[in-house]
Amino acid sequence: EGDVICVFSQYGEVVNINLVRDKKTGKSKGFCFLCYEDQRSTILAVDNFNGIKIKGRTIRVDHVANYRPPKESEDWDEVTRALHAKGCGVKTPPHTSSDSPSEDEDVPVKKQKGEDCS
């Protein structure tokens, strides 16, 4: 999990990560959900990471409609509790371009990444 945050933090602050694991074995299913603090970071990461190779694997990075924080647990920190209640990307800055409405405004602040996160 730390390696994933390290790699993806070069484009912004990662505020939450949900490493999806097999319920029976506890092993990584090879993908996770990751939430950035702001929308610009999400867009940069999707644009720059989708299709690259990390540790010999080509990864898929994309936006998702709804960020899925980890299942409720006593170990949740305040950020995870807030994300579960309000969703990801509550700090998204307003669109500042004077051009016509950008596709950025419709892009969710969540993404799914297809790397073995273990």
Side-chain angles (χ1 to χ4, degrees), residues 47-117:
D47 289 349
N48 289 285
F49 284 129
N50 190 38
I52 70 164
K53 281 193 176 189
I54 297 179
K55 295 185 178 181
R57 287 187 64 176
T58 301
I59 64 169
R60 181 175 65 94
V61 181
D62 203 353
H63 300 276
V64 294
N66 296 300
Y67 176 73
R68 298 180 203 172
K71 297 280 186 204
E72 191 161 2
S73 162
E74 293 177 8
D75 299 332
W76 271 8
D77 58 16
E78 288 181 27
V79 171
T80 305
R81 289 185 195 285
L83 288 170
H84 191 265
K86 297 178 184 175
C88 184
V90 294
K91 297 180 183 179
T92 300
H95 183 66
T96 57
S97 173
S98 59
D99 297 334
S100 60
S102 168
E103 68 243 17
D104 293 356
E105 292 183 75
D106 296 325
V107 178
V109 185
K110 310 90 184 169
K111 68 188 183 67
Q112 175 179 345
K113 137 185 130 40
E115 176 194 0
D116 182 3
C117 301

